[in-house]
Amino acid sequence: MPEQYLTKWIHHVKPRWKTAFLSAMIIGFFTHMYIFTNAIPNHDSLVNIYTPQFNFNLGRFYLSPFSGISSYFDLPWINGLLSILYLAVFSVLIAELLEMKKTLSIVLTSGLIVTFPAISAIFSYMFTADGYMAGFLLTASALLLTKKYKYGFLPGGLLFYFAVGIYQVNLPLLLTLTTLFLISEILYRQIALRKFFTYALRFFALTAIGMALYTITFTLYRNFFAGQLRNYQGLNEVGSAFSLWEPIIRVRNAFSYFFFRGFGSDMPVNLFEIANVAVFLLILVGFVLVIVRGSQAYSTPMLVIAVVLVLTLPFTAYSLYFVSPGVNYHMLMMLPLVPFYLLPILFYDNFITANKKTSLFSWATVLVSALIVFNFALIANISYFNMNLKYEKSTAAVNRIVDRVEQTAGFEQASKLAVFGELAMESKMAAEYVPENIPRMTGALGETFLKFPSHYQYMMENMYGLSYDLVTAEEYQSILASSVYQDMESWPAADSVRIIDDTLIIKLSEEVR
């Protein structure tokens, strides 16, 4: 009976599972509640209020079915609820993978995962957020299956295939989590070299199966179904020849920019960068303490492997640089960096006996990690604050334009729309204060989300009930070269809005993309 099955299942739930799940749910909702309870689009979600997300041309073959669980509408509350649920289970799997024991370790791990800036950036694309989170969950599930069962890499490879087919960043996520797990096994389970290679072969098989299936699908789409790939993030350059030194330099630059932006640029040094310095100091001190305390338990080869694994984390996190020269990492792709924040917690979790040094390290780890969770939550809400400003400014701007259109003679007969230039709506808040105080949050920064004519078209139709077809590229160029357009002044001049035949022409500025 269902009741008996549920009762039996509940009895098998481990305490650390409950702690990880509830921590992620509570911290996640407190952090992201604002974006869940407000419909605040960005430039991308504005034109994806309803979309089946058939992104085959982006190599995301399984984004549609997993995003479709919440329907193809942009539903902030439902998408957010499912996203936090997926992240909570993801946190459970990470706690189980690393065999965490201490309550604070588990709570802080869940907090770091659910508040990480990459998660907040993904929530600025709420229409697709739950699909991406499902991909992260599949990746962690594949890892745990591979760890626990001798042939777990077989079903794990299939799950990983689906995960990469949702979002390709799940490849570096898998690699960094695998690296974190192997470091944990070497330092705290004192596994022998034979056991290490057994794990390494399993995880290699998991990755190889998933990526082989993905490559087959990718090849079939391109060659047998005549699928066209977008010139986006280097997809059309996968497999292209490039110097090995180039991605190494890009890894170094991207890594230092993410963690230490304020120290090497004109941007101010914020709590984010200071806390990151503290994290790397904790990693160094924690590693030394672990080695000193267990010097007799470790073999030299295993210690060397552990050090090498730590040093390779930046390269596994940015491994997509080695796949295509056209890849550019942005905040949505940064979740593979979360293991750096988990390393000090891993050290703290495995300190059993206390002395002055380990006690001091433990307090420092807990306090720094808690501060980082709080700061991540602030970063998330500053991002949402700026998104709301963008939404208000964009809505007000289009409202003024629509009012002008409705006062233009003959607007009822217009069926086409041509928008030229961009609105100038600069403010210190969006141009200086926000970007100087948070990392580069893709999707959340900027003055408005009115970048292209399609944004005006969608807003005018979905918010104001004015439906127009965009002019063709040929018609656009013809209008641009016409004397009528040349005689028009830029917005907000009286003749910046004109109706010519069946076309509504809006000239926002002289500069045209």
Side-chain angles (χ1 to χ4, degrees), residues 17 24 40 55 60 74 86 90 128 130 135 165 171-172 182 256 274 276 282 325 353 365 391 405 427 457 460 484 507:
W17 297 358
I40 308 176
N55 290 323
R60 299 172 191 170
D74 185 0
Y86 295 153
F90 177 86
T128 195
D130 55 322
L171 171 59
L182 291 174
S256 60
I274 294 172
N276 287 339
L282 287 171
T353 56
T365 297
Y391 174 75
V405 168
S427 66
Q457 178 197 29
M460 292 170 79
V484 173
K507 185 176 183 179

Side-chain angles (χ1 to χ4, degrees), residues 62 156-166 209-211 213-214 217:
Y62 298 106
L158 184 62
L159 293 180
F160 179 56
Y161 161 58
F162 290 133
V164 178
I166 292 173
I209 291 171
M211 291 309 298
L213 290 172
Y214 180 78
T217 306

Side-chain angles (χ1 to χ4, degrees), residues 403-466:
D403 181 63
R404 181 75 62 83
V405 168
E406 292 177 339
Q407 296 181 48
T408 303
F411 90 94
E412 298 91 344
Q413 283 73 47
S415 60
K416 296 179 182 180
L417 175 65
V419 180
F420 297 86
E422 293 184 64
L423 283 173
M425 291 190 286
E426 295 184 3
S427 66
K428 280 194 174 183
M429 182 63 69
E432 296 180 23
Y433 301 151
V434 171
E436 286 180 358
N437 283 278
I438 63 175
R440 186 180 292 175
M441 299 294 287
T442 308
L445 297 180
E447 299 281 353
T448 75
F449 50 61
L450 300 171
K451 290 188 175 182
F452 304 110
S454 58
H455 295 141
Y456 293 89
Q457 178 197 29
Y458 272 78
M459 282 197 73
M460 292 170 79
E461 178 176 355
N462 293 318
M463 294 186 170
Y464 298 97
L466 298 180

Side-chain angles (χ1 to χ4, degrees), residues 245-505:
W245 187 247
E246 180 184 345
I248 293 175
I249 296 298
R250 296 183 73 193
V251 169
R252 183 200 66 185
N253 293 340
F255 181 83
S256 60
Y257 186 84
F258 178 86
F259 286 104
F260 311 114
R261 180 188 71 171
F263 295 107
S265 68
D266 294 333
M267 290 291 190
V269 176
N270 296 311
L271 178 58
F272 180 75
E273 288 85 9
I274 294 172
N276 287 339
V277 171
V279 166
F280 282 93
L281 287 174
L282 287 171
I283 291 173
L284 179 61
V285 173
F287 207 93
V288 171
L289 286 175
V290 169
I291 293 174
V292 170
R293 286 171 61 84
S295 56
Q296 297 179 347
Y298 303 120
S299 66
T300 302
M302 297 311 296
L303 276 179
V304 171
I305 291 173
V307 172
V308 170
L309 287 173
V310 172
L311 295 177
T312 59
L313 269 174
F315 298 97
T316 53
Y318 290 98
S319 54
L320 292 181
Y321 280 145
F322 297 90
V323 176
S324 170
V327 171
N328 284 300
Y329 271 74
H330 51 67
M331 188 57 75
L332 276 69
M333 304 167 69
M334 296 301 184
L335 190 61
L337 293 174
V338 79
F340 285 98
Y341 295 91
L342 300 184
L343 266 175
I345 296 174
L346 186 63
F347 296 149
Y348 157 68
D349 189 67
N350 286 278
F351 284 143
I352 306 301
T353 56
N355 57 37
K356 187 175 181 180
K357 293 179 180 178
T358 58
S359 180
L360 183 61
F361 176 86
S362 298
W363 274 105
T365 297
V366 170
L367 293 176
V368 168
S369 298
L371 180 63
I372 290 173
V373 171
F374 177 71
N375 190 47
F376 283 172
L378 288 179
I379 289 170
N381 281 274
I382 293 171
S383 301
Y384 304 150
F385 164 76
N386 193 68
M387 285 182 67
N388 187 64
L389 288 181
K390 288 170 62 177
Y391 174 75
E392 296 289 350
K393 289 165 70 174
S394 301
T395 304
V398 175
N399 184 51
R400 292 176 62 200
I401 292 172
V402 167
D403 181 63
R404 181 75 62 83
V405 168
E406 292 177 339
Q407 296 181 48
T408 303
F411 90 94
E412 298 91 344
Q413 283 73 47
S415 60
K416 296 179 182 180
L417 175 65
V419 180
F420 297 86
E422 293 184 64
L423 283 173
M425 291 190 286
E426 295 184 3
S427 66
K428 280 194 174 183
M429 182 63 69
E432 296 180 23
Y433 301 151
V434 171
E436 286 180 358
N437 283 278
I438 63 175
R440 186 180 292 175
M441 299 294 287
T442 308
L445 297 180
E447 299 281 353
T448 75
F449 50 61
L450 300 171
K451 290 188 175 182
F452 304 110
S454 58
H455 295 141
Y456 293 89
Q457 178 197 29
Y458 272 78
M459 282 197 73
M460 292 170 79
E461 178 176 355
N462 293 318
M463 294 186 170
Y464 298 97
L466 298 180
S467 298
Y468 300 102
D469 295 323
L470 291 178
V471 296
T472 64
E474 293 77 12
E475 291 171 328
Y476 189 90
Q477 292 300 324
S478 176
I479 295 171
L480 188 61
S482 68
S483 59
V484 173
Y485 175 80
Q486 298 298 327
D487 291 338
M488 292 175 64
E489 295 184 65
S490 299
W491 179 267
D495 65 344
S496 58
V497 176
R498 298 278 298 270
I499 307 290
I500 306 297
D501 298 326
D502 61 346
T503 303
L504 169 61
I505 303 173

Side-chain angles (χ1 to χ4, degrees), residues 108-163:
L108 290 170
T109 295
S110 295
L112 286 167
I113 289 170
V114 83
T115 63
F116 199 71
I119 300 301
S120 304
I122 292 172
F123 280 145
S124 70
Y125 297 80
M126 186 60 74
F127 70 96
T128 195
D130 55 322
Y132 283 8
M133 306 305 174
F136 300 153
L137 176 57
L138 290 174
T139 301
S141 301
L143 272 173
L144 193 59
L145 281 172
T146 304
K147 173 203 170 183
K148 293 182 72 70
Y149 303 104
K150 184 177 181 180
Y151 297 104
F153 60 85
L154 294 174
L158 184 62
L159 293 180
F160 179 56
Y161 161 58
F162 290 133

Side-chain angles (χ1 to χ4, degrees), residues 13-62:
V13 174
K14 297 179 182 179
R16 69 166 160 249
W17 297 358
K18 296 178 183 177
T19 303
F21 184 85
L22 291 175
S23 299
M25 292 292 289
I26 294 170
I27 297 173
F29 272 114
F30 271 112
T31 299
H32 305 292
M33 182 66 74
Y34 185 81
I35 197 71
F36 295 164
T37 54
N38 290 275
I40 308 176
N42 67 8
H43 63 281
D44 207 0
S45 52
L46 178 66
V47 298
N48 286 288
I49 295 174
Y50 176 85
T51 174
Q53 299 193 61
F54 293 136
N55 290 323
F56 299 157
N57 59 352
L58 293 175
R60 299 172 191 170
F61 306 108
Y62 298 106

